[in-house]
Amino acid sequence: MRRKIVAGNWKMNGQQDQNQALLAALVKEESALSAVDVWVAPPSVYIPTVLSQLKGSAIKVLAQNVAEHDKGAYTGEVSAMMLVDVGCFGVLIGHSERRQYYAESNAVVLAKVKQALSKNLLTVLCVGETLAEREAGLTEEVVLTQLSAIVDACDEAELARMVVAYEPVWAIGTGLTATPEQAQIVHAHIRAKLAAVGAENVAVLYGGSVKAANAEALFAMPDIDGALVGGASLDAQEFLAIARAASDATVGK
Ligand code: PGA
């Protein structure tokens, strides 16, 4: 079985004292979670502080975004090299909030992925359909178009540093979750596409209102390798419970 991953996307939330309390609670419990990869993605301004607080911990730190350019006159942007320079392990790319609010097209997402991979940053590529697309029966087409735009342009070595997150837009921050069966159907399509490009070992996470209460059922699905958790990752006990569910699914409890 692929090792499960539980990643917390803090989005634009938190401040120093809250971050510190959250991380302290995670670190305290992490020895029981050695069967799971636990990652956090804080706002970029906090990354160095978070990294120093996680020194000696197995919890890895991701950025939520990266520039599509190498360096230069791009006011407000943070490059892949800078993320590596401060000790970041990876980066989320193509999150639906970036696609929706910052007009990130598949071409922009690809440019960002290429930047990240060229610096050896692990890339969590996010894909997912809107409610209107799902209701129009376009889920598979939309997800596979977003996925193909990236994976068809990457070689095997690049794909080895990639994780895919399926995040139905209608389930993000809404309290609506895809049922495990709905998620599994899309994950199986994603897995088949990955297999077709020789990347069957790429982990596929589910994201969209994952909570302690629904994590176990999601993790029981054969093609769900973990979770990208937004809101619930800001609550240490909730996030830990999700990580414990991933651990139990891995060790077969
Ligand atoms: P949510 O967010 O868990 O708050 O729905 C998930 C995500 O956007 O990564």
Side-chain angles (χ1 to χ4, degrees):
M1 177 184 285
R2 276 175 294 270
R3 206 176 144 81
K4 291 225 178 333
I5 298 164
V6 174
N9 174 9
W10 295 1
K11 307 193 181 182
M12 199 172 72
N13 293 294
Q15 53 187 59
Q16 306 254 42
D17 51 348
Q18 295 165 357
N19 301 346
Q20 204 167 18
L22 176 56
L23 292 170
L26 300 186
V27 166
K28 202 163 145 232
E29 300 296 325
E30 75 166 301
S31 60
L33 298 169
S34 56
V36 182
D37 288 329
V38 179
W39 302 342
V40 293
S44 60
V45 69
Y46 294 128
I47 286 173
T49 321
V50 166
L51 275 163
S52 75
Q53 202 184 339
L54 289 176
K55 223 177 211 140
S57 157
I59 299 172
K60 296 208 160 66
V61 178
L62 282 74
Q64 297 174 14
N65 185 28
V66 66
E68 68 205 88
H69 305 286
D70 202 35
K71 64 173 180 174
Y74 300 103
T75 301
E77 293 291 297
V78 173
S79 74
M81 185 278 290
M82 293 168 189
L83 295 177
V84 171
D85 189 34
V86 297
C88 245
F89 167 71
V91 58
L92 309 179
I93 299 182
H95 190 281
S96 65
E97 288 152 16
R98 302 289 322 170
R99 293 178 190 262
Q100 201 178 336
Y101 306 142
Y102 302 95
E104 287 190 10
S105 62
N106 285 330
V108 169
V109 170
L110 178 60
K112 291 184 171 197
V113 167
K114 288 285 180 177
Q115 278 297 324
L117 294 174
S118 75
K119 302 294 182 293
N120 224 18
L121 278 171
L122 180 128
T123 296
V124 180
L125 170 68
C126 305
V127 296
E129 82 288 1
T130 63
L131 185 58
E133 288 163 343
R134 172 163 284 263
E135 287 176 347
L138 297 172
T139 299
E140 184 184 340
E141 187 184 325
V142 168
V143 167
L144 290 183
T145 300
Q146 290 174 348
L147 182 66
S148 301
I150 310 308
V151 299
D152 287 348
C154 290
D155 63 25
E156 235 170 88
E158 290 174 316
L159 293 170
R161 293 284 292 165
M162 203 180 284
V163 166
V164 173
Y166 167 56
E167 299 205 300
V169 178
W170 50 274
I172 295 178
T174 57
L176 296 172
T177 326
T179 64
E181 293 73 20
Q182 280 175 320
Q184 168 57 31
I185 289 169
V186 182
H187 279 237
H189 290 309
I190 292 173
R191 177 86 60 214
K193 173 64 194 176
L194 290 170
V197 293
E200 48 279 317
N201 290 328
V202 165
V204 186
L205 313 182
Y206 171 78
S209 298
V210 177
K211 302 178 199 66
N214 56 28
E216 186 185 345
L218 287 162
F219 296 152
M221 293 292 133
D223 289 304
I224 299 186
D225 302 322
L228 180 54
V229 185
S233 73
L234 301 172
D235 178 323
Q237 293 318 315
E238 191 74 14
F239 188 60
L240 283 166
I242 295 167
R244 260 182 239 115
S247 174
D248 290 350
T250 306
V251 300
K253 264 195 207 158

